[in-house]
Amino acid sequence: MQQIALDIGLASGPSLANFLAGPNLAAWQHIQLWVASDTRSPVPTYVWGEGGSGKTHLLRAAQAALRDQGCAVGWMDASVFEPTAFDDAWRVVILDDVHLYTAVQQHAAFNWFVNAMTPEDGQQRWVLSAGDVPPSALMLREDLRTRLGWGHIFQLQVLSEPERRAVLRQQADERGVFLSDDVMDFMLKRFSRDLSSLIQLLDQLDGYALQTQRAITIPLLKSMLENM
């Protein structure tokens, strides 16, 4: 009988600590300093870059850090098909993958942005958003597009192969598993260079190794793929 894998050895979710900044140091430092500040500036921040550049990681990391401080955060991404109304309890509004927003999501995002910047209680909220192109190239309603482009703007770059290797090594170490160079070579050559996809693959591989009680090797990886 195949043993059920226990939920152990898995790394925690995205955090500012486990974000490998590389060429994206300025954006990482900006968000880290802002999250850590007691007197947060309400000037909005927008980060952009192609898939796998770390946008969602940074936004989720900021959300997690703020929640750890007891700060209420409004979150919307393209999977939120029925956005809620703006909540006065929110101290921060985070908008991910804005380039994918439907008309309904754009309407909600505009409403959230206006309420964050001109709240009834007079306490402006920070708006952190992300998309795959700079604000000027977003195919969104004009009033939302121009607001997203007002404030701090950072472009994120996809990590180089050595940097992606360093992230995979770090993620494996956090899970308490050994990832050999051969397995890492196989993952980088045969799968998407998108770092989030590689980390998801590592999650699946770690779970499969626990389930089968085998070390992580290329044969194990191939076996997992055959049984998916």
Side-chain angles (χ1 to χ4, degrees):
M1 181 180 294
Q2 195 175 50
Q3 220 176 14
I4 297 175
L6 298 176
D7 187 16
I8 59 175
L10 297 179
S12 57
S15 71
L16 292 171
N18 64 24
F19 180 79
L20 183 66
N24 304 313
L25 182 62
W28 175 76
Q29 287 180 327
H30 172 80
I31 293 175
Q32 184 181 51
L33 288 172
W34 190 93
V35 167
S37 174
D38 292 330
T39 55
R40 300 185 174 102
S41 166
V43 178
T45 298
Y46 179 84
V47 296
W48 67 277
E50 63 179 286
S53 57
K55 303 185 297 296
T56 297
H57 184 124
L58 270 181
L59 268 58
R60 284 295 187 188
Q63 179 191 35
L66 290 164
R67 283 184 170 174
D68 286 346
Q69 299 172 23
C71 180
V73 179
W75 173 281
M76 179 162 50
D77 56 40
S79 70
V80 181
F81 297 114
E82 297 182 4
T84 62
F86 181 85
D87 189 335
D88 289 332
W90 294 341
R91 297 296 96 190
V92 178
V93 166
I94 300 181
L95 307 169
D96 194 22
D97 287 336
V98 297
H99 58 284
L100 299 175
Y101 281 8
T102 64
V104 171
Q105 291 166 332
Q106 290 179 50
H107 176 78
F110 176 74
N111 177 268
W112 287 13
F113 198 107
V114 171
N115 277 284
M117 290 293 102
T118 56
E120 292 184 359
D121 62 10
Q123 296 182 355
Q124 290 181 309
R125 278 70 163 170
W126 186 44
V127 179
L128 173 62
S129 55
D132 66 351
V133 294
S136 59
L138 287 169
M139 302 298 289
L140 302 175
R141 49 188 281 180
E142 185 66 10
D143 52 5
L144 174 60
R145 185 189 64 77
T146 54
R147 281 168 173 78
L148 292 174
W150 175 73
H152 303 288
I153 300 175
F154 297 92
Q155 180 182 5
L156 300 185
Q157 304 288 340
V158 175
L159 297 182
S160 66
E161 182 172 318
E163 289 166 336
R164 291 199 299 278
R165 286 177 178 272
V167 172
L168 286 174
R169 182 75 68 199
Q170 177 191 54
Q171 291 285 320
D173 289 345
E174 289 181 3
R175 289 162 173 76
V177 300
F178 174 69
L179 195 64
S180 70
D181 290 336
D182 288 344
V183 173
M184 197 177 301
D185 289 343
F186 188 87
M187 292 172 66
L188 289 167
K189 290 177 181 177
R190 302 295 182 90
F191 299 94
S192 170
R193 68 171 183 158
D194 179 354
L195 190 55
S196 62
S197 297
L198 289 169
I199 292 174
Q200 183 180 18
L201 177 63
L202 179 59
D203 279 337
Q204 295 171 333
L205 186 56
D206 185 21
Y208 189 70
L210 284 170
Q211 193 174 41
T212 58
Q213 295 188 316
R214 294 166 58 189
I216 294 179
T217 60
I218 292 176
L220 180 74
L221 176 52
K222 290 180 177 178
S223 174
M224 182 191 76
L225 296 173
E226 291 171 356
N227 287 282
M228 287 179 66

